[in-house]
Structure formats: C-alpha cells, structure tokens
C-alpha cells in the first residue's frame, strides 16, 4: 500500500530519513535502502539540508524508487526561484516521485557554502500554493500545463521552547494546511509526556501528525541538544540514563526504538532521523517491534 493510501486509511506510517551523498558514490545509500526495504513505508530525502551541498533530492528519490522503496523529497525556497522550483516539481512527478515535504530552509550561513546567495523567491506558503496550482493544471504565471502532476504534500513544524512559540508555530502550520499541506512532520520527540500534553493542540490542525524520532548517538550529542535547543525538551532524566549506560551507543538506539513504539499508540506515524547512522535503522525497528 502506498504512503498516500496508508495516510488516507489512517494506518500508522513509518518513514526513515536518508541523505544523499556529498559526491556520486551511492553505494552506502543503496545498501542502507536495501536493509530497510519492506520494513518502512517511505524514505524521506532532504535537499541540501542544513545548507550542506549534496546530490539533489530528486536524484536520491529516483534511486529509492529504483530500489522499490517509495520516496518523499524535501522542497525548499532557499536555493531556487519560482521557475526552477516548478520545473523540479514537474520533473519529480515524471520521474515517479509523488510525495513532497515543503520544509523550512536553514540559514545559508550555517552551511558549508556560507558565501552562496539565498534566493527565497517564495516562502513556504507560496510554495505550497504553487504546488496546488500545478496540480490544478496551471503554472504560477497562469499558463495551462500539458499534463497535470499529482502529489501528496506535507509540511514541517519548528521546535518550540514555550507556549507562546507553540501558538505561533501552530498558527503557521494551520496556514500551511490551508495552503495544501496534507500531513505535518513535527520536531524530534525526546519527552513523551511533554509531547502527549501538546498533541491535542497539534491534532486540531486536522491532518495526520508524524513526529520525528531522532537517534541520540552519544551523551555529548544529547547534552549539546539539551543545552543549545530549549525547544527539544531533553530531560535531565534522559541525560542520566545515557550517562549511566555501559553501552551509550546502544542506549541511544534503545531510546529511539522505545519512542517509536510509544508513538504508535499516539500518532499517525513517525519519521526516524539517524543523520549518517542509517545502518542502525534495522535495530531501531527491531526494538520498536516493526
């Protein structure tokens, strides 16, 4: 069953994020995809996420499709103007990619090409509107298309440090849903109790909610996120759990698997984010019972 049909049937979906290589060696990407084929519903391919130059998401999506793994690709406003965005979206459809996530673009200054010029011709609402218009058979200039694409389109939410930020982010997400987003990817969940308390408000968006589960590879990473990203809500208890473990790497995998399992009873899906440790995805899925 396709990702779109599972969403429509309100069945729990499991997504895994995989980055394309910084180069043309696709062997690792292909190996990682084969490891989880049949165990997940789709692979999410970011497009130069965090301002890091990599092979394009369209190429990664096509490679996934060739492996028999459904692909979802990110689209950003940062790097392309409206003509290039529309052209890439049409190309993605022709190449068999039918799922998009309109994602927030990280600042270029944080990436590896800090001197690159930001385009930002459209914002996220504008891009969602452009996708909707293409699916209605016209481009942004009002010209009719010769053949109409179809997509399942999602959007993202940013981390929120407090109630005020949450209300702002929910208002922004509601506008994205109104503009055409059919599902929402939330920030990483580290505190299930905190997330459960927020979930009723998020579910008011009226579309499937898919939280991110982030693999904490080490104590240092967990501490860094806890100290630098207050919106992550990593508890002292979680830090202590990793610190006390005799195998901290395995503890992070265990925590991710347990989080996925818990979210199965709370949301419509999960997206597992491993940032280079995609070879650990099978272990996370084993612990989650998937």
């Amino acid at each position: 069953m396709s990702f779109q049909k599972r969403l429509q049937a309100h069945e729990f979906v499991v997504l895994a994020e995989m980055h394309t290589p910084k180069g043309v060696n696709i062997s690792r990407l292909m190996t990682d995809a084969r490891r989880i084929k049949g165990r997940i519903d789709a692979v999410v391919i970011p497009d130069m996420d965090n301002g890091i130059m990599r092979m394009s998401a369209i190429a990664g999506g096509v490679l996934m499709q060739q492996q028999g793994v459904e692909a979802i690709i990110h689209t950003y406003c940062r790097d392309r103007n409206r003509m290039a965005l529309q052209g890439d979206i049409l190309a993605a459809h022709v190449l068999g990619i039918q799922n998009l996530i309109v994602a927030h673009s990280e600042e270029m200054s944080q990436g590896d090409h800090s001197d690159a010029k930001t385009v930002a011709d459209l914002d996220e609402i504008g891009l969602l509107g452009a996708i909707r218009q293409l699916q209605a058979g016209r481009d942004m200039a009002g010209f009719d298309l010769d053949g109409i694409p179809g997509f399942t389109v999602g959007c993202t939410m940013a981390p929120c440090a407090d109630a005020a930020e949450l209300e702002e982010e929910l208002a922004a997400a509601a506008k994205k849903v109104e503009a055409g987003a059919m599902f929402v990817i939330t920030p990483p969940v580290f505190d299930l109790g905190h997330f459960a308390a927020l979930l009723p408000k998020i579910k008011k968006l009226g579309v499937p909610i898919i939280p991110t589960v982030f693999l904490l590879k080490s104590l240092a990473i967990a501490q860094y996120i806890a100290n630098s990203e207050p919106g992550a809500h990593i508890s002292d208890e979680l830090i202590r759990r990793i610190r006390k473990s005799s195998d901290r790497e395995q503890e992070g995998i265990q925590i991710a698997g347990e989080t996925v399992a818990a979210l199965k009873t709370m949301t419509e899906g999960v997206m597992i984010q491993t940032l280079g440790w995609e070879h650990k995805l099978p272990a996370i899925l084993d612990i989650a019972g998937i």
Side-chain angles (χ1 to χ4, degrees), residues 3 18 20-21 43 53 140 146 174 178 196 228 236 263:
F3 169 67
M18 291 188 182
T20 53
V43 166
M53 192 288 295
M140 292 189 74
D146 183 6
E178 184 179 357
S228 63
D236 293 339
L263 290 169

Side-chain angles (χ1 to χ4, degrees), residues 42-74:
V43 166
V44 176
I45 308 287
D47 192 27
M48 292 186 275
D49 197 28
N50 297 319
I52 305 298
M53 192 288 295
R54 297 176 181 270
M55 181 189 296
S56 76
I58 291 179
V62 170
L63 290 169
M64 289 299 109
Q65 301 284 121
Q66 290 174 351
Q67 294 298 313
V69 179
E70 192 168 0
I72 304 172
I73 66 170
H74 279 193

Side-chain angles (χ1 to χ4, degrees), residues 192-223:
L192 287 164
H194 176 78
F195 180 72
L198 301 181
L199 192 54
K201 289 186 176 182
I202 302 174
K203 284 193 171 185
K204 288 181 180 179
L205 292 171
V207 295
I209 305 302
I210 303 176
T212 300
V213 175
F214 182 89
L215 173 60
L216 294 169
K217 302 177 185 178
S218 67
L219 175 63
I221 290 174
Q223 290 174 322

Side-chain angles (χ1 to χ4, degrees), residues 22 48-55 78-79 106-118:
K22 191 176 179 67
M48 292 186 275
D49 197 28
N50 297 319
I52 305 298
M53 192 288 295
R54 297 176 181 270
M55 181 189 296
R78 180 190 61 209
D79 305 328
E106 298 293 337
E107 294 291 334
M108 195 69 78
S109 60
Q110 304 300 313
D112 65 352
H113 282 58
S114 58
D115 56 345
K117 291 184 179 179
T118 298

Side-chain angles (χ1 to χ4, degrees), residues 44-174:
V44 176
I45 308 287
D47 192 27
M48 292 186 275
D49 197 28
N50 297 319
I52 305 298
M53 192 288 295
R54 297 176 181 270
M55 181 189 296
S56 76
I58 291 179
V62 170
L63 290 169
M64 289 299 109
Q65 301 284 121
Q66 290 174 351
Q67 294 298 313
V69 179
E70 192 168 0
I72 304 172
I73 66 170
H74 279 193
T75 56
Y76 297 99
C77 301
R78 180 190 61 209
D79 305 328
R80 298 172 180 84
N81 68 14
R82 65 189 64 197
M83 287 186 66
L85 285 166
Q86 291 175 96
D88 282 352
I89 289 164
L90 295 177
H93 175 85
V94 169
L95 292 170
I97 300 167
Q98 298 183 349
N99 307 299
L100 306 173
I101 295 175
V102 173
H104 172 72
S105 309
E106 298 293 337
E107 294 291 334
M108 195 69 78
S109 60
Q110 304 300 313
D112 65 352
H113 282 58
S114 58
D115 56 345
K117 291 184 179 179
T118 298
V119 179
D121 185 22
L122 299 174
D123 59 16
E124 292 171 63
I125 301 296
L127 180 52
L128 284 162
I131 295 169
R132 172 180 276 176
Q133 191 162 329
L134 290 174
Q135 294 186 107
R138 291 196 172 195
D139 67 14
M140 292 189 74
F143 292 101
D144 291 337
L145 301 181
D146 183 6
I148 301 172
F151 296 101
T152 301
V153 186
C155 68
T156 60
M157 286 181 61
C160 304
D162 54 37
E165 286 188 5
L166 176 63
E167 292 303 320
E168 290 179 6
E169 196 58 31
L170 287 173

